[in-house]
Amino acid sequence: MSVHTKFDHPANKGCLATAPAVLRFASFFPRVLRRREMHDQRAGGDLSHIRHDLSPQNYRVIGDEDWIDVLIAEIATAKRNNHLNEIAAREAKGRWKEAEALRRRGPVDPWKFTQEGPLREGILTVNKQWFGGAGPEEWDPDRVSRFVDRGVEFLQTHFPAGQLREVTVHVDEEAVHLHFAVAVWNEKVSQNRGRQRLLQPSANPLLADYEHAQDLAGEAFLDMGIHRGERRAAAARAAKAAGLEGPSPRDHVPPSKWRREQRRKALQDAAKIKKSARDAADGILADAAFVSNSTVKKSRKRAVEETRQRQAEAEQVLVDARIARTGGQIVGAFRHIRNQRLAAESEALNEKMLRRKAQFRHMEERSHALAVANARAEADLIAAQQETEEQAAEAAEITAKAKAAEADALEVVQATLAQREAAKAEIAAEQRELSRAQAEVAHKDAELSAKLSKVDRLLRHLEPLLRRMIGWLKRPDLPGEIVKEGNEILSEAHVLISDPPSDPNAPQG
């Protein structure tokens, strides 16, 4: 199972010459067989890493279409037979109370108590770069074919006698891998429980010792450049025995959990980007408002100052005019002063126009810079919003798929519970029918005993009567006809006593 969320198809740099084999096992209960098949057919579960256009190319190498039904029927048969054999073993030892307690308890699952389940599913694969890259477009077909053939041969060799129930080749992810299911049956015989057929994964050496399984996998693919992975467990034991600190244990993270964590981090990053863009835009807008207010204040202050200066110049002109008028030179003074004033005003106006033009150019440049910065901020904000909306839509789609998968799983659980209740009701009905049949047999047995007792009592009373009759027939004074008829009666009575007629109403057997 790949741990990548998408197919980025990097440039193919050639196939790796060597790579470690990847062989992993996981436990599960029979009740999740249907859910496992649903994911195997890409109809449910976490499918965010699947290329659905390639899913039809997945194919099953081992296992019929009804292999799940066959396995469930085997489990039900073993469950029933184990119960009957245990009852028979207790009765054979004369433990009738224990046998009756077992009948009341009913059948139990044919495996020892376990929190993880008696079945095993596994995956066999290798690094995607050994095939040539990510996806069928970059794989080496010859390597894919050789790996699949060798992998199927390896599984058939080490899971013999029907232990290997299903093997499917998946090609809709970044690396080719074999997904398989294993059921290991083991029979045990004891005086207390009789013959018991149980699901026992540890009866297979590969499932009993995962390090041994890794060794065998490395040996099976060695000539193809695929070797065993790092011996971390053995190194840890050796370091512990030497009193040293061994390598830290690897925490295997399932691909689905890794993808959920990546989506969570992506949403967090999107929120941070959105907040950063919003803060930058707010800062730019605040700077623009500050510059605008400052410019307005400075312009207003400069205008007031110029007004005051012009008012002072006008007052000075009036004073000079009054002085010139008192000296008899009012006309010449007025003209001279007026010309000076006009020249000064003209020069002041020119300087003012130049300053205003410079201010306008500065304000235009500042406004253009602010407009560019504002446009960039708005573009960044829009891009961040679009990215956030896309990620939110993706998260909503993932949530909807998760809810749909949860609903499907709930339906499967409800269907399983309904089947279990129906099976319980059927078993209860069979037990009631068995109790009724046992009661009927006991009743007929009592009737037969009563009839046999009556027959025995009749025979005990009939024998002395017959002896008396024999003695009476031996009397010499009896007529011959009476003696003849009495002998015939005795013969018939003897026949009836030695071979009594069958009663049509009597129970047979």
Side-chain angles (χ1 to χ4, degrees), residues 396-456:
E397 183 180 358
I398 293 171
T399 303
K401 289 182 179 179
K403 289 183 178 179
E406 183 180 358
D408 293 340
L410 182 59
E411 290 180 0
V412 172
V413 171
Q414 290 177 349
T416 304
L417 292 176
Q419 291 177 357
R420 181 177 293 180
E421 294 298 329
K424 287 183 179 179
E426 183 178 354
I427 292 172
E430 291 180 354
Q431 289 179 345
R432 289 195 297 271
E433 183 66 21
L434 179 61
S435 300
R436 187 190 63 76
Q438 289 176 345
E440 184 177 351
V441 169
H443 178 68
K444 290 183 179 180
D445 190 15
E447 290 182 352
L448 180 60
S449 298
K451 289 181 179 181
L452 291 177
S453 177
K454 290 181 180 179
V455 171
D456 185 58

Side-chain angles (χ1 to χ4, degrees), residues 110-126:
W111 59 78
K112 291 184 178 180
F113 174 76
T114 173
Q115 294 181 347
E116 298 180 346
L119 302 177
R120 294 290 183 271
E121 66 174 345
I123 181 174
L124 178 61
T125 185
V126 69

Side-chain angles (χ1 to χ4, degrees), residues 293-306:
N293 293 332
S294 177
T295 303
V296 170
K297 288 181 180 180
K298 289 180 179 179
S299 298
R300 186 180 300 164
K301 185 177 181 180
R302 191 178 296 110
V304 171
E305 185 67 25
E306 289 178 354

Side-chain angles (χ1 to χ4, degrees), residues 349-416:
L349 286 174
N350 289 332
E351 291 179 357
K352 184 177 181 182
M353 289 178 63
L354 292 175
R355 286 198 303 271
R356 289 291 178 88
K357 287 181 180 180
Q359 290 177 357
F360 281 140
R361 283 197 302 269
H362 179 71
M363 291 183 67
E364 286 178 355
E365 292 175 357
R366 183 63 178 171
S367 177
H368 179 70
L370 290 174
V372 172
N374 192 17
R376 290 178 180 174
E378 289 181 355
D380 293 341
L381 181 59
I382 292 172
Q385 289 177 347
Q386 290 177 350
E387 184 178 0
T388 303
E389 290 175 357
E390 292 176 357
Q391 292 175 350
E394 183 180 358
E397 183 180 358
I398 293 171
T399 303
K401 289 182 179 179
K403 289 183 178 179
E406 183 180 358
D408 293 340
L410 182 59
E411 290 180 0
V412 172
V413 171
Q414 290 177 349
T416 304

Side-chain angles (χ1 to χ4, degrees), residues 223-488:
D223 62 324
M224 298 169 60
I226 301 175
H227 55 82
R228 191 199 191 283
E230 184 180 358
R231 300 178 181 272
R232 297 180 63 87
R237 288 195 298 270
K240 184 178 180 180
L244 302 175
E245 183 178 357
S248 58
R250 283 184 176 177
D251 185 15
H252 175 62
V253 179
S256 58
K257 183 178 179 181
W258 186 88
R259 288 189 291 272
R260 286 196 301 270
E261 183 65 19
Q262 293 302 310
R263 285 194 291 269
R264 184 186 65 81
K265 291 181 178 179
L267 291 176
Q268 288 181 349
D269 293 341
K272 291 179 180 179
I273 292 171
K274 184 176 180 181
K275 184 177 183 302
S276 176
R278 187 182 295 112
D279 292 342
D282 292 342
I284 292 172
L285 292 175
D287 291 342
F290 176 76
V291 171
S292 299
N293 293 332
S294 177
T295 303
V296 170
K297 288 181 180 180
K298 289 180 179 179
S299 298
R300 186 180 300 164
K301 185 177 181 180
R302 191 178 296 110
V304 171
E305 185 67 25
E306 289 178 354
T307 302
R308 290 177 179 175
Q309 186 176 358
R310 293 182 64 183
Q311 186 177 2
E313 291 176 356
E315 290 177 353
Q316 184 65 37
V317 169
L318 290 175
V319 170
D320 292 342
R322 290 191 189 100
I323 294 172
R325 186 173 51 184
T326 57
Q329 301 175 354
I330 184 169
V331 177
F334 181 76
R335 287 177 179 175
H336 178 71
I337 292 171
R338 184 172 179 275
N339 290 334
Q340 288 181 348
R341 181 175 61 79
L342 291 175
E345 287 182 357
S346 177
E347 185 178 358
L349 286 174
N350 289 332
E351 291 179 357
K352 184 177 181 182
M353 289 178 63
L354 292 175
R355 286 198 303 271
R356 289 291 178 88
K357 287 181 180 180
Q359 290 177 357
F360 281 140
R361 283 197 302 269
H362 179 71
M363 291 183 67
E364 286 178 355
E365 292 175 357
R366 183 63 178 171
S367 177
H368 179 70
L370 290 174
V372 172
N374 192 17
R376 290 178 180 174
E378 289 181 355
D380 293 341
L381 181 59
I382 292 172
Q385 289 177 347
Q386 290 177 350
E387 184 178 0
T388 303
E389 290 175 357
E390 292 176 357
Q391 292 175 350
E394 183 180 358
E397 183 180 358
I398 293 171
T399 303
K401 289 182 179 179
K403 289 183 178 179
E406 183 180 358
D408 293 340
L410 182 59
E411 290 180 0
V412 172
V413 171
Q414 290 177 349
T416 304
L417 292 176
Q419 291 177 357
R420 181 177 293 180
E421 294 298 329
K424 287 183 179 179
E426 183 178 354
I427 292 172
E430 291 180 354
Q431 289 179 345
R432 289 195 297 271
E433 183 66 21
L434 179 61
S435 300
R436 187 190 63 76
Q438 289 176 345
E440 184 177 351
V441 169
H443 178 68
K444 290 183 179 180
D445 190 15
E447 290 182 352
L448 180 60
S449 298
K451 289 181 179 181
L452 291 177
S453 177
K454 290 181 180 179
V455 171
D456 185 58
R457 188 166 59 253
L458 180 61
L459 290 176
R460 286 199 304 270
H461 287 81
L462 187 60
E463 285 179 358
L465 290 177
L466 290 176
R467 286 196 296 270
R468 288 177 59 189
M469 187 173 180
I470 290 171
W472 180 71
L473 289 175
K474 289 181 179 181
R475 291 176 56 182
D477 55 344
L478 289 177
E481 295 179 355
I482 294 176
V483 172
K484 182 179 179 181
E485 186 175 1
N487 289 329
E488 291 177 356

Side-chain angles (χ1 to χ4, degrees), residues 1 21-28 36 116-125 151 154-156 158-159 163-167 178-184 201-202 204-218 221 228 252 254-255:
M1 283 173 268
V22 178
L23 176 61
R24 293 190 180 279
F25 297 99
S27 307
F28 68 101
R36 180 186 177 278
E116 298 180 346
L119 302 177
R120 294 290 183 271
E121 66 174 345
I123 181 174
L124 178 61
T125 185
F154 170 78
L155 294 175
Q156 288 178 326
H158 294 285
F159 295 103
Q163 296 180 7
L164 191 62
R165 296 307 179 104
E166 180 259 351
V167 178
L178 276 65
H179 200 192
F180 57 93
V182 177
V184 182
S202 60
N204 186 291
L206 265 71
L207 301 179
D209 186 355
Y210 286 168
E211 289 188 64
H212 178 57
Q214 300 294 334
D215 294 338
L216 294 178
F221 295 91
R228 191 199 191 283
H252 175 62

